[in-house]
Amino acid sequence: MKKDLLLITISELFFQVAESSIAVFGIIFFYQKFNSIFLAVAPFILIHLTYASLLPFLSKFVFKLGLKRSLILGSIFYSLMALVTYLSNDKLRLENLLAFALLYALGNVFHYTPIIYILGTNSKHSSRGRVFALRKIIFVIAAVVTPILGGFVSDKFGFTGLYAMCIAFFILTNVPIIYLSKFEVPLPKSLSKTLETMRGKRIFLYKISEVFTNNIGSFWPIYVSIILAGSLLDVGILFTFVSFVVVIVTYFTGKALDSRSRPKLYFLASISMFIGWILRALSFNYISILIADIIFKINANFKGQISEVIDYDLMNDHVNDARSSVIILGEVIVNFLIAFLLFVGALFITVYGFQAAFIVFGIIGFVFAQIMRRYLKN
């Protein structure tokens, strides 16, 4: 693995600990605080909407500033977000939630585009699958440690303790960034011109499929916390055990990714994920949740490895100076769609309940997974 790839991966390792903790335990806390699915996801909907709206206007500044400086500025916004939330002392007024969403969105603006650009330019098509597999191995640390660490801190020190921990990890992301090389990046074109190209249209269709396949699980932590009577430590222990099992299974089945029958394997994984959603809908205690989550995440991890490589192929291969433009287009599409999906998901759960929603999520994910298969064949 190249030096810059290794450095950015280590930085992302620290980042994932903080981000995953907020994604899992932050949404649980909002639900426990407001006792409402809509209010639990509202701050995250606002984050995605604000990020997608700001990125087209700030993207040129991101690249003029330079990728290293942008990443450092992003970590400052993330740290400020965590600090403001920490200082709120669990008193989540409207102004606190707005500050949380705005600072988080600004962090995303200066974080994700440079990360995607650096990963794309430092990995070639022929070796991208292998490079991303190595990154997955490194991220094992975050996958196993984060749930139990976040659960323990949240259970013992509350919401403010969780965000104090996140501040430390957001600051740590800067250590590897300091040693990154300097990147010369051409300024992006307008979104409309990028979308008019054949590559832009293909990215648009792929991103729709990817979001509906991989981003409809945000409500699962809330459901698990309800079944486990609100114990955040129990939630953390369960997710840590699931991650450990998934890592072991993925390690021993990883050679399957080198098979020539990737579309077939992807199809089988999408069927197993649909079964996983059904099992999630039927889960009612610790053991049933454990089995359902293991089955689901093993296949989600396998599918994710394939789709992530395809995603980076689309945004980086044969695009030359348009790379920055297609990255921004992809990010805008994904985040508007995630915001829409969170809103519709919250509405559906409110009306029909978690079980019915999980079955519908499974059907939607399976249908869009079949749409994504076409990109494996091309």
Coordinates of all heavy atoms in Angstrom, one line a residue, residues 258-329:
D258 N -12.0 -12.9 -5.6 CA -11.2 -13.0 -6.7 C -11.8 -14.0 -7.8 O -11.2 -14.2 -8.8 CB -9.8 -13.6 -6.3 CG -9.0 -12.6 -5.4 OD1 -9.2 -11.4 -5.6 OD2 -8.3 -13.0 -4.5
S259 N -12.9 -14.5 -7.5 CA -13.6 -15.4 -8.4 C -14.1 -14.7 -9.6 O -14.4 -13.5 -9.6 CB -14.8 -16.1 -7.7 OG -15.6 -16.8 -8.6
R260 N -14.2 -15.4 -10.7 CA -14.7 -14.8 -12.0 C -16.2 -14.7 -11.9 O -16.8 -14.1 -12.8 CB -14.3 -15.7 -13.2 CG -12.8 -15.7 -13.4 CD -12.4 -16.5 -14.6 NE -11.0 -16.6 -14.8 CZ -10.4 -17.2 -15.8 NH1 -11.2 -17.9 -16.7 NH2 -9.1 -17.2 -16.0
S261 N -16.9 -15.3 -11.0 CA -18.3 -15.2 -10.9 C -18.9 -14.2 -9.9 O -19.8 -14.5 -9.2 CB -18.9 -16.6 -10.6 OG -18.4 -17.0 -9.3
R262 N -18.3 -13.0 -9.9 CA -18.7 -12.0 -9.0 C -20.2 -11.6 -9.1 O -20.9 -11.5 -8.1 CB -17.9 -10.7 -9.2 CG -16.5 -10.8 -8.6 CD -15.8 -9.4 -8.6 NE -14.5 -9.5 -8.1 CZ -13.7 -8.5 -7.9 NH1 -14.1 -7.3 -8.2 NH2 -12.5 -8.6 -7.5
P263 N -20.8 -11.5 -10.3 CA -22.2 -11.2 -10.4 C -23.0 -12.3 -9.7 O -24.0 -11.9 -9.1 CB -22.5 -11.2 -11.9 CG -21.2 -10.8 -12.5 CD -20.1 -11.5 -11.7
K264 N -22.7 -13.5 -9.9 CA -23.4 -14.6 -9.2 C -23.3 -14.5 -7.7 O -24.3 -14.7 -7.0 CB -22.9 -16.0 -9.7 CG -23.7 -17.2 -9.1 CD -23.2 -18.5 -9.7 CE -23.9 -19.6 -9.0 NZ -23.4 -21.0 -9.6
L265 N -22.1 -14.3 -7.2 CA -21.8 -14.2 -5.8 C -22.6 -13.0 -5.2 O -23.1 -13.0 -4.1 CB -20.3 -14.1 -5.5 CG -19.5 -15.3 -5.8 CD1 -18.0 -15.0 -5.7 CD2 -19.9 -16.4 -4.8
Y266 N -22.6 -11.9 -6.0 CA -23.3 -10.7 -5.6 C -24.8 -11.0 -5.5 O -25.5 -10.5 -4.5 CB -23.0 -9.6 -6.6 CG -23.5 -8.2 -6.2 CD1 -22.8 -7.4 -5.4 CD2 -24.8 -7.8 -6.6 CE1 -23.2 -6.1 -5.0 CE2 -25.3 -6.6 -6.2 CZ -24.5 -5.7 -5.4 OH -25.0 -4.5 -5.1
F267 N -25.3 -11.7 -6.4 CA -26.7 -12.1 -6.4 C -27.1 -12.9 -5.2 O -28.1 -12.7 -4.5 CB -27.1 -12.8 -7.7 CG -28.5 -13.4 -7.8 CD1 -29.5 -12.5 -7.9 CD2 -28.7 -14.7 -7.7 CE1 -30.8 -13.0 -7.9 CE2 -30.0 -15.2 -7.8 CZ -31.1 -14.3 -7.9
L268 N -26.2 -13.9 -4.9 CA -26.5 -14.7 -3.7 C -26.4 -13.9 -2.4 O -27.2 -14.2 -1.5 CB -25.4 -15.9 -3.7 CG -25.5 -16.9 -4.8 CD1 -24.4 -17.9 -4.8 CD2 -26.8 -17.7 -4.7
A269 N -25.5 -13.0 -2.4 CA -25.4 -12.1 -1.2 C -26.6 -11.3 -1.0 O -27.1 -11.0 0.1 CB -24.1 -11.3 -1.3
S270 N -27.2 -10.8 -2.2 CA -28.4 -9.9 -2.1 C -29.6 -10.7 -1.6 O -30.4 -10.2 -0.8 CB -28.7 -9.3 -3.4 OG -29.0 -10.3 -4.4
I271 N -29.6 -12.0 -2.0 CA -30.7 -12.9 -1.5 C -30.5 -13.1 0.0 O -31.5 -13.0 0.8 CB -30.7 -14.2 -2.2 CG1 -31.1 -14.1 -3.7 CG2 -31.7 -15.2 -1.5 CD1 -31.0 -15.3 -4.5
S272 N -29.3 -13.4 0.5 CA -29.0 -13.6 1.9 C -29.3 -12.3 2.7 O -29.8 -12.4 3.8 CB -27.6 -14.0 2.1 OG -27.3 -15.2 1.4
M273 N -29.1 -11.1 2.1 CA -29.4 -9.9 2.8 C -30.9 -9.7 3.0 O -31.3 -9.2 4.0 CB -28.8 -8.7 2.1 CG -27.3 -8.4 2.4 SD -26.7 -6.9 1.7 CE -27.7 -5.7 2.7
F274 N -31.6 -10.1 2.0 CA -33.1 -10.0 2.1 C -33.6 -10.9 3.2 O -34.4 -10.6 4.0 CB -33.7 -10.4 0.7 CG -35.2 -10.6 0.8 CD1 -36.0 -9.4 0.9 CD2 -35.8 -11.8 0.7 CE1 -37.4 -9.6 1.0 CE2 -37.2 -11.9 0.8 CZ -38.0 -10.8 0.9
I275 N -33.0 -12.2 3.3 CA -33.3 -13.1 4.3 C -33.0 -12.5 5.7 O -33.7 -12.6 6.7 CB -32.6 -14.4 4.2 CG1 -33.2 -15.1 2.9 CG2 -32.8 -15.3 5.4 CD1 -32.4 -16.4 2.5
G276 N -31.8 -11.8 5.7 CA -31.4 -11.1 6.9 C -32.4 -10.0 7.4 O -32.7 -9.9 8.6
W277 N -33.0 -9.3 6.4 CA -34.0 -8.3 6.8 C -35.2 -9.0 7.4 O -35.8 -8.5 8.3 CB -34.4 -7.5 5.6 CG -33.5 -6.3 5.3 CD1 -32.7 -6.0 4.3 CD2 -33.4 -5.1 6.2 NE1 -32.0 -4.8 4.4 CE2 -32.5 -4.2 5.5 CE3 -33.9 -4.7 7.4 CZ2 -32.1 -3.0 6.1 CZ3 -33.6 -3.5 7.9 CH2 -32.7 -2.7 7.3
I278 N -35.6 -10.1 6.8 CA -36.8 -10.8 7.3 C -36.5 -11.3 8.7 O -37.4 -11.2 9.6 CB -37.1 -12.1 6.4 CG1 -37.4 -11.6 5.0 CG2 -38.3 -12.8 7.0 CD1 -38.6 -10.7 4.9
L279 N -35.3 -11.8 9.0 CA -34.9 -12.3 10.3 C -34.9 -11.1 11.3 O -35.2 -11.2 12.5 CB -33.6 -13.0 10.3 CG -33.6 -14.3 9.6 CD1 -32.2 -14.9 9.5 CD2 -34.5 -15.3 10.3
R280 N -34.4 -9.9 10.8 CA -34.5 -8.7 11.7 C -35.9 -8.4 12.1 O -36.2 -8.0 13.2 CB -33.9 -7.5 10.9 CG -32.3 -7.5 10.9 CD -31.8 -6.3 10.2 NE -30.4 -6.1 10.5 CZ -29.7 -5.0 10.1 NH1 -30.3 -4.1 9.4 NH2 -28.4 -4.9 10.4
A281 N -36.8 -8.5 11.1 CA -38.2 -8.2 11.4 C -38.8 -9.2 12.4 O -39.7 -8.8 13.2 CB -39.0 -8.3 10.1
L282 N -38.3 -10.4 12.4 CA -38.8 -11.5 13.3 C -38.1 -11.5 14.6 O -38.5 -12.3 15.5 CB -38.8 -12.8 12.6 CG -39.6 -13.0 11.3 CD1 -39.3 -14.4 10.7 CD2 -41.1 -12.9 11.6
S283 N -37.0 -10.8 14.8 CA -36.2 -10.9 16.0 C -37.0 -10.2 17.2 O -37.7 -9.2 17.0 CB -34.9 -10.2 15.8 OG -35.1 -8.8 15.4
F284 N -36.8 -10.9 18.3 CA -37.6 -10.4 19.5 C -36.8 -10.5 20.8 O -37.2 -10.0 21.8 CB -38.8 -11.3 19.7 CG -38.5 -12.7 19.9 CD1 -38.4 -13.2 21.2 CD2 -38.4 -13.6 18.8 CE1 -38.1 -14.6 21.4 CE2 -38.1 -14.9 19.0 CZ -38.0 -15.4 20.3
N285 N -35.5 -11.1 20.7 CA -34.7 -11.1 21.9 C -33.2 -11.1 21.5 O -32.9 -10.9 20.3 CB -35.0 -12.3 22.8 CG -34.8 -13.6 22.0 OD1 -34.1 -13.7 20.9 ND2 -35.3 -14.8 22.5
Y286 N -32.3 -11.2 22.5 CA -30.9 -11.0 22.3 C -30.4 -12.0 21.2 O -29.7 -11.6 20.3 CB -30.2 -11.2 23.6 CG -28.7 -10.7 23.6 CD1 -28.5 -9.4 24.1 CD2 -27.7 -11.4 23.0 CE1 -27.2 -8.9 24.1 CE2 -26.4 -10.9 23.0 CZ -26.1 -9.7 23.6 OH -24.9 -9.2 23.6
I287 N -30.7 -13.3 21.4 CA -30.2 -14.3 20.5 C -30.7 -14.1 19.0 O -30.0 -14.2 18.1 CB -30.6 -15.7 21.0 CG1 -30.0 -16.0 22.4 CG2 -30.2 -16.8 20.0 CD1 -28.5 -16.0 22.4
S288 N -32.0 -13.9 18.9 CA -32.6 -13.7 17.5 C -32.0 -12.5 16.9 O -31.8 -12.5 15.6 CB -34.1 -13.6 17.6 OG -34.5 -12.5 18.4
I289 N -31.8 -11.4 17.6 CA -31.1 -10.2 17.1 C -29.7 -10.5 16.6 O -29.2 -10.1 15.6 CB -31.1 -9.1 18.1 CG1 -32.5 -8.5 18.3 CG2 -30.2 -7.9 17.7 CD1 -32.6 -7.5 19.4
L290 N -29.0 -11.3 17.5 CA -27.6 -11.7 17.2 C -27.5 -12.5 15.9 O -26.7 -12.1 15.0 CB -27.1 -12.5 18.3 CG -25.6 -12.9 18.3 CD1 -24.7 -11.6 18.4 CD2 -25.2 -13.8 19.4
I291 N -28.4 -13.5 15.7 CA -28.4 -14.3 14.5 C -28.7 -13.5 13.3 O -28.0 -13.5 12.2 CB -29.4 -15.5 14.7 CG1 -28.9 -16.4 15.8 CG2 -29.5 -16.2 13.3 CD1 -29.9 -17.5 16.1
A292 N -29.8 -12.7 13.4 CA -30.2 -11.8 12.2 C -29.1 -10.9 11.8 O -28.9 -10.7 10.6 CB -31.5 -11.1 12.6
D293 N -28.5 -10.2 12.8 CA -27.5 -9.2 12.4 C -26.2 -9.8 11.8 O -25.6 -9.2 10.9 CB -27.1 -8.4 13.7 CG -26.7 -7.0 13.4 OD1 -27.3 -6.4 12.4 OD2 -25.9 -6.4 14.1
I294 N -25.8 -11.0 12.3 CA -24.7 -11.7 11.8 C -24.9 -12.1 10.3 O -24.1 -11.8 9.4 CB -24.3 -12.9 12.6 CG1 -23.7 -12.5 14.0 CG2 -23.3 -13.8 11.8 CD1 -23.5 -13.7 14.9
I295 N -26.0 -12.7 10.0 CA -26.4 -13.1 8.7 C -26.4 -11.8 7.8 O -25.9 -11.8 6.7 CB -27.7 -13.8 8.6 CG1 -27.6 -15.2 9.3 CG2 -28.2 -14.0 7.2 CD1 -28.9 -15.9 9.5
F296 N -27.1 -10.8 8.2 CA -27.2 -9.6 7.4 C -25.9 -8.9 7.1 O -25.5 -8.6 6.0 CB -28.1 -8.6 8.1 CG -28.3 -7.3 7.4 CD1 -29.3 -7.2 6.4 CD2 -27.5 -6.2 7.6 CE1 -29.5 -6.0 5.7 CE2 -27.7 -5.0 6.9 CZ -28.7 -4.9 6.0
K297 N -25.0 -8.8 8.2 CA -23.8 -8.0 8.0 C -22.7 -8.8 7.3 O -21.9 -8.2 6.6 CB -23.3 -7.5 9.4 CG -24.2 -6.4 9.9 CD -23.7 -5.8 11.2 CE -24.6 -4.7 11.7 NZ -24.2 -4.2 13.0
I298 N -22.7 -10.1 7.4 CA -21.8 -10.9 6.6 C -22.0 -10.6 5.1 O -21.0 -10.3 4.3 CB -21.9 -12.4 6.9 CG1 -21.3 -12.7 8.2 CG2 -21.2 -13.2 5.8 CD1 -21.5 -14.1 8.7
N299 N -23.2 -10.7 4.7 CA -23.6 -10.5 3.3 C -23.5 -9.0 2.9 O -23.0 -8.7 1.7 CB -25.0 -11.0 3.0 CG -25.0 -12.5 3.1 OD1 -24.6 -13.2 2.2 ND2 -25.5 -13.0 4.2
A300 N -23.8 -8.1 3.8 CA -23.7 -6.7 3.5 C -22.2 -6.3 3.3 O -21.9 -5.5 2.5 CB -24.3 -5.8 4.6
N301 N -21.3 -6.9 4.1 CA -19.9 -6.6 4.0 C -19.4 -7.1 2.7 O -18.6 -6.5 2.0 CB -19.2 -7.3 5.2 CG -17.7 -6.9 5.2 OD1 -17.4 -5.7 5.4 ND2 -16.8 -7.9 5.1
F302 N -19.8 -8.3 2.3 CA -19.4 -8.9 1.0 C -19.8 -8.0 -0.2 O -19.0 -7.7 -1.0 CB -19.9 -10.3 0.9 CG -19.5 -11.0 -0.4 CD1 -18.2 -11.5 -0.5 CD2 -20.4 -11.2 -1.4 CE1 -17.8 -12.1 -1.7 CE2 -20.0 -11.8 -2.6 CZ -18.7 -12.3 -2.7
K303 N -21.1 -7.7 -0.2 CA -21.6 -6.8 -1.2 C -21.0 -5.5 -1.2 O -20.7 -4.9 -2.3 CB -23.2 -6.6 -1.0 CG -24.0 -7.8 -1.6 CD -25.4 -7.6 -1.3 CE -26.1 -6.5 -2.1 NZ -26.1 -5.2 -1.5
G304 N -20.7 -5.0 0.0 CA -20.1 -3.6 0.1 C -18.7 -3.6 -0.5 O -18.3 -2.6 -1.1
Q305 N -17.9 -4.6 -0.3 CA -16.6 -4.7 -0.9 C -16.6 -4.6 -2.4 O -15.8 -3.9 -3.0 CB -15.9 -6.0 -0.5 CG -15.5 -6.0 1.0 CD -14.7 -7.3 1.3 OE1 -13.6 -7.5 0.7 NE2 -15.2 -8.1 2.2
I306 N -17.6 -5.3 -3.0 CA -17.7 -5.2 -4.5 C -18.2 -3.9 -5.0 O -17.6 -3.2 -5.9 CB -18.7 -6.3 -5.0 CG1 -18.1 -7.7 -4.6 CG2 -18.8 -6.3 -6.5 CD1 -19.1 -8.9 -4.9
S307 N -19.3 -3.4 -4.3 CA -19.9 -2.1 -4.8 C -19.0 -0.9 -4.6 O -19.0 0.0 -5.3 CB -21.2 -1.9 -4.1 OG -21.1 -1.8 -2.7
E308 N -18.1 -1.0 -3.5 CA -17.2 0.1 -3.2 C -16.2 0.3 -4.3 O -15.8 1.4 -4.8 CB -16.5 0.0 -1.9 CG -15.6 1.1 -1.5 CD -15.0 1.0 -0.1 OE1 -14.7 -0.2 0.2 OE2 -14.8 2.0 0.6
V309 N -15.7 -0.9 -4.8 CA -14.7 -0.9 -5.9 C -15.3 -0.3 -7.1 O -14.7 0.5 -7.9 CB -14.1 -2.3 -6.1 CG1 -13.2 -2.3 -7.3 CG2 -13.3 -2.7 -4.9
I310 N -16.5 -0.8 -7.5 CA -17.2 -0.3 -8.7 C -17.4 1.2 -8.6 O -17.2 2.0 -9.5 CB -18.6 -1.0 -8.8 CG1 -18.4 -2.5 -9.0 CG2 -19.3 -0.4 -10.0 CD1 -19.7 -3.2 -8.9
D311 N -17.8 1.7 -7.4 CA -18.0 3.1 -7.1 C -16.8 3.9 -7.5 O -16.9 4.9 -8.2 CB -18.4 3.3 -5.7 CG -19.0 4.7 -5.4 OD1 -19.3 5.4 -6.4 OD2 -19.2 5.0 -4.2
Y312 N -15.6 3.5 -7.0 CA -14.4 4.2 -7.2 C -13.9 4.1 -8.7 O -13.3 5.0 -9.2 CB -13.3 3.8 -6.3 CG -13.4 4.5 -4.9 CD1 -14.2 4.1 -3.9 CD2 -12.6 5.6 -4.7 CE1 -14.3 4.8 -2.7 CE2 -12.6 6.3 -3.5 CZ -13.5 5.9 -2.5 OH -13.6 6.6 -1.4
D313 N -14.3 2.9 -9.3 CA -14.0 2.8 -10.7 C -14.7 3.9 -11.6 O -14.2 4.5 -12.4 CB -14.4 1.4 -11.2 CG -13.4 0.3 -10.8 OD1 -12.3 0.7 -10.3 OD2 -13.7 -0.9 -10.9
L314 N -16.0 4.0 -11.2 CA -16.8 5.0 -12.0 C -16.3 6.4 -11.8 O -16.4 7.2 -12.7 CB -18.3 4.9 -11.5 CG -19.1 3.7 -12.1 CD1 -20.5 3.7 -11.3 CD2 -19.4 3.9 -13.6
M315 N -15.9 6.7 -10.6 CA -15.5 8.1 -10.3 C -14.1 8.4 -10.6 O -13.7 9.6 -10.6 CB -15.7 8.4 -8.8 CG -17.2 8.5 -8.4 SD -17.5 9.1 -6.7 CE -16.7 7.8 -5.7
N316 N -13.3 7.4 -11.0 CA -11.8 7.7 -11.2 C -11.3 7.2 -12.5 O -10.3 7.8 -13.0 CB -11.0 7.1 -10.0 CG -11.3 7.8 -8.7 OD1 -10.7 8.8 -8.4 ND2 -12.1 7.2 -7.9
D317 N -11.8 6.2 -13.1 CA -11.3 5.6 -14.3 C -11.7 6.4 -15.5 O -12.9 6.6 -15.7 CB -11.7 4.1 -14.5 CG -11.1 3.2 -13.4 OD1 -10.2 3.7 -12.7 OD2 -11.5 2.1 -13.3
H318 N -10.7 6.8 -16.4 CA -11.0 7.5 -17.6 C -11.7 8.8 -17.5 O -12.5 9.1 -18.4 CB -11.7 6.5 -18.6 CG -11.2 5.1 -18.6 ND1 -9.9 4.9 -19.1 CD2 -11.7 3.9 -18.3 CE1 -9.7 3.5 -19.0 NE2 -10.8 3.0 -18.5
V319 N -11.6 9.5 -16.4 CA -12.3 10.8 -16.2 C -11.3 11.9 -16.3 O -11.7 13.1 -16.5 CB -13.0 10.8 -14.9 CG1 -14.1 9.8 -14.9 CG2 -12.1 10.6 -13.7
N320 N -10.0 11.7 -16.2 CA -9.0 12.7 -16.4 C -9.2 13.9 -15.4 O -9.4 13.8 -14.2 CB -8.9 13.2 -17.8 CG -8.5 12.0 -18.7 OD1 -7.7 11.2 -18.4 ND2 -9.1 11.9 -19.9
D321 N -9.4 15.1 -16.0 CA -9.5 16.3 -15.2 C -10.9 16.5 -14.6 O -11.2 17.4 -13.9 CB -9.2 17.6 -16.0 CG -7.7 17.7 -16.4 OD1 -6.9 17.0 -15.7 OD2 -7.4 18.4 -17.3
A322 N -11.9 15.6 -15.0 CA -13.2 15.7 -14.5 C -13.4 14.9 -13.2 O -14.5 14.9 -12.7 CB -14.2 15.1 -15.6
R323 N -12.3 14.4 -12.6 CA -12.5 13.5 -11.4 C -13.1 14.3 -10.3 O -14.0 13.8 -9.6 CB -11.1 13.0 -11.0 CG -11.1 12.2 -9.7 CD -9.8 11.6 -9.4 NE -9.4 10.5 -10.2 CZ -8.4 10.6 -11.1 NH1 -7.7 11.7 -11.3 NH2 -8.1 9.5 -11.8
S324 N -12.7 15.5 -10.0 CA -13.3 16.3 -8.9 C -14.8 16.5 -9.2 O -15.6 16.5 -8.2 CB -12.5 17.6 -8.7 OG -12.5 18.3 -9.9
S325 N -15.1 16.8 -10.4 CA -16.5 17.1 -10.7 C -17.4 15.9 -10.5 O -18.5 16.0 -9.9 CB -16.7 17.5 -12.2 OG -15.9 18.6 -12.5
V326 N -17.0 14.7 -10.9 CA -17.8 13.5 -10.8 C -17.9 13.1 -9.3 O -18.9 12.5 -8.8 CB -17.4 12.3 -11.6 CG1 -17.4 12.6 -13.1 CG2 -16.0 11.9 -11.3
I327 N -16.9 13.3 -8.5 CA -16.9 13.0 -7.1 C -18.0 13.9 -6.4 O -18.8 13.4 -5.6 CB -15.5 13.3 -6.4 CG1 -14.5 12.2 -6.9 CG2 -15.7 13.3 -4.9 CD1 -13.1 12.5 -6.4
I328 N -18.0 15.2 -6.7 CA -19.0 16.1 -6.1 C -20.4 15.7 -6.6 O -21.3 15.7 -5.8 CB -18.7 17.5 -6.5 CG1 -17.4 18.0 -5.9 CG2 -19.8 18.5 -6.1 CD1 -16.7 19.2 -6.5
L329 N -20.6 15.4 -7.8 CA -21.9 14.9 -8.3 C -22.4 13.7 -7.5 O -23.5 13.7 -7.1 CB -21.8 14.6 -9.8 CG -23.1 14.0 -10.4 CD1 -24.2 15.0 -10.4 CD2 -22.8 13.5 -11.9

